[in-house]
Amino acid sequence: MNTFPFNSESDLPSHLYLFEQMADAVYLLDPKTSNVLWCNRIAYEELGYSEDEVLNHSVLSLQKDVKGAPQWSEIATVIRSKNVFTFVGRHLHNDGYEIPVEVNTTHFLVDGHEYFLSVARNISNRVAFEKDFQERDGRVRYALHEVSDGLWEWELESDYVFFSPQLKKMLGYGPDEMTPHVDTWKSKVHPDDVEKVITILSDHIKGKRPAYQAEYRLRNRNGHYIWVHDAGKVCERNDENQPTHVIGMVRNISDHKKVQTQLESLAHEDVLTGLPNRRHGERSAQKALKKACDKKIPLTLAVIDLDFFKRINDLYGHAKGDEILVFIAQLLNSARPKKSFLYRWGGEEFVLILPSYNLEAVQEVLEGVHQVIAQADWTGLGVEPVTLSIGAVECSQANVEFNECFKLADLAVYQAKANGRNQTVLA
């Protein structure tokens, strides 16, 4: 008996003709007989049939992967149990070849009669792409294994981790070494980095980050740490959309980190003497001065100037002058108190910041500086011993500015030179 819910095509609701505009095939099926009760134009044209050759014929005659009434009965039961049943199979073209399809089927009732509505999408292009991708993926994986510093793949449920031979080699291990477990990796991450790295990785697995990326230190076989850039992403999920596998690639960036450290050091250090430079020194001095003012403790700023330094450059050249500056910097650094801060201001001038020192206490310190310079072994340098003129000022007033303190100390230096040099003047 024909249970089609409409007496004829002319009785179809007008909106049903929208199906004719779809790029996907649409079939209205009788669940009991598997017959096609109605279909849109693309459904029969894509298979090389006329409409009459499809209507009232079993859908099984069009389907490569479903055979016989018993199997159709089982599938019908599954369709009834779900809101949408998705089936990936093959439709048979009238010329004999197969068309891969993804079919989504729903079920509903009209006037007490049950119907299945199937929407079949031709996935030939997708299948071809996936096949090409799998072939290329194999080649890409091979290439990455060969050219990268290391690949890893983590099975989340078992905590099994595949470490590529290149990664093992980077850490100084043979291809059969390193237990394939996540704890092996964790044990090699620097203790100061491990919490940060695990947090970043966990955030990605939980969906809080689109990808995992981290720079950290890994311990190699010799116990030394190398810097790595580690990047990965969840690559597989289960039916509940929960992550099951994460894959990543490691690069050794130790050389890059070394250069970066050198550049950062140059930004803070005086290239010649290795002391903090003026820019970095001023920042540190201002912070120390603010702290002293806030806590109402004394702080002394001393400006140190080499006497007759121009004469050394004129007589012996700038190379010798640079050698003297390095020598003096080393002596000053050795003579200063532990909690003090020394930096090169520029030219032949240095600045010494002495937190917690008032003028009375600092006088003894600066006398000791003069003694260290005077008692140094100058014979190897081929010049007469150099002396220092020092001006010092105590910066103890609230809200005092660094520049004001420096000007006062600098004026004291000029006074020391006017008094005959090789001495300290307290402002």
Side-chain angles (χ1 to χ4, degrees), residues 309 312-313 315-325 380-383:
F309 187 71
I312 293 175
N313 282 332
L315 290 176
Y316 304 101
H318 288 282
K320 178 59 69 175
D322 287 348
E323 189 178 354
I324 298 300
L325 284 171
L381 294 171
V383 298

Side-chain angles (χ1 to χ4, degrees), residues 323-342:
E323 189 178 354
I324 298 300
L325 284 171
V326 172
F327 185 61
I328 290 290
Q330 293 170 345
L331 293 174
L332 293 175
N333 207 31
S334 66
R336 68 180 178 84
K338 288 183 178 180
K339 293 185 179 180
S340 63
F341 185 78
L342 176 71

Side-chain angles (χ1 to χ4, degrees), residues 134-154:
Q134 290 173 356
E135 293 174 352
R136 291 178 183 275
D137 186 53
R139 293 194 293 270
V140 169
R141 280 176 174 261
Y142 172 79
L144 288 175
H145 274 291
E146 293 301 312
V147 304
S148 70
D149 292 320
L151 296 178
W152 53 268
E153 185 172 353
W154 179 17

Side-chain angles (χ1 to χ4, degrees), residues 48-66:
Y49 291 103
S50 66
E51 185 177 13
D52 292 339
E53 291 176 305
V54 173
L55 291 181
N56 295 315
H57 288 74
S58 171
V59 72
L60 302 183
S61 63
L62 308 176
Q63 179 61 255
K64 174 76 173 179
D65 300 289
V66 181

Side-chain angles (χ1 to χ4, degrees), residues 87-281:
F87 178 78
V88 177
R90 295 166 293 173
H91 279 179
L92 291 172
H93 193 274
N94 194 23
D95 291 337
Y97 62 86
E98 300 169 359
I99 300 174
V101 291
E102 180 182 85
V103 184
N104 290 302
T105 301
T106 57
H107 57 94
F108 61 96
L109 294 173
V110 176
D111 295 334
H113 294 290
E114 184 184 33
Y115 300 94
F116 288 168
L117 185 69
S118 294
V119 179
R121 172 163 294 180
N122 186 331
I123 58 172
S124 298
N125 291 337
R126 190 174 84 189
V127 170
F129 171 79
E130 289 175 351
K131 180 180 179 182
D132 180 64
F133 181 79
Q134 290 173 356
E135 293 174 352
R136 291 178 183 275
D137 186 53
R139 293 194 293 270
V140 169
R141 280 176 174 261
Y142 172 79
L144 288 175
H145 274 291
E146 293 301 312
V147 304
S148 70
D149 292 320
L151 296 178
W152 53 268
E153 185 172 353
W154 179 17
E155 296 179 3
L156 299 180
E157 185 176 356
S158 65
D159 275 338
Y160 174 90
V161 178
F162 163 77
F163 300 109
S164 73
Q166 284 77 8
L167 191 152
K168 295 178 181 179
K169 181 180 178 182
M170 179 182 73
L171 296 177
Y173 293 94
D176 297 326
E177 297 182 282
M178 289 181 62
T179 303
H181 195 274
V182 70
D183 288 341
T184 302
W185 167 73
K186 289 181 181 179
S187 68
K188 297 185 182 303
V189 179
H190 194 285
D192 293 342
D193 300 335
V194 65
E195 183 177 352
K196 176 192 71 175
V197 174
I198 290 176
T199 298
I200 294 173
L201 183 54
S202 297
D203 284 350
H204 168 58
I205 293 172
K206 294 175 183 176
K208 296 180 181 179
R209 293 174 180 263
Y212 157 69
Q213 287 197 57
E215 289 186 1
Y216 59 93
R217 290 159 288 183
L218 270 180
R219 190 180 71 251
N220 64 16
R221 184 173 205 143
N222 296 327
H224 299 128
Y225 285 95
I226 62 173
W227 277 97
V228 298
H229 177 272
D230 196 3
K233 197 161 188 176
V234 171
C235 61
E236 286 187 23
R237 297 178 179 271
N238 59 21
D239 293 340
E240 286 75 38
N241 201 36
Q242 296 299 312
T244 59
H245 290 72
V246 185
I247 192 168
M249 181 171 68
V250 179
R251 289 190 297 113
N252 186 339
I253 59 169
S254 297
D255 290 341
H256 169 74
K257 277 291 184 179
K258 184 177 180 181
V259 172
Q260 183 180 1
T261 302
Q262 290 173 341
L263 291 175
E264 290 174 352
S265 178
L266 288 174
H268 297 296
E269 290 184 3
D270 175 60
V271 176
L272 178 63
T273 64
L275 294 176
N277 59 23
R278 175 174 173 175
R279 182 181 180 183
H280 181 55

Side-chain angles (χ1 to χ4, degrees), residues 355-376:
S356 301
Y357 281 83
N358 56 26
L359 286 182
E360 184 179 352
V362 87
Q363 187 169 3
E364 182 180 350
V365 172
L366 297 178
E367 286 176 359
V369 170
H370 285 292
Q371 290 177 9
V372 167
I373 299 298
Q375 295 170 4

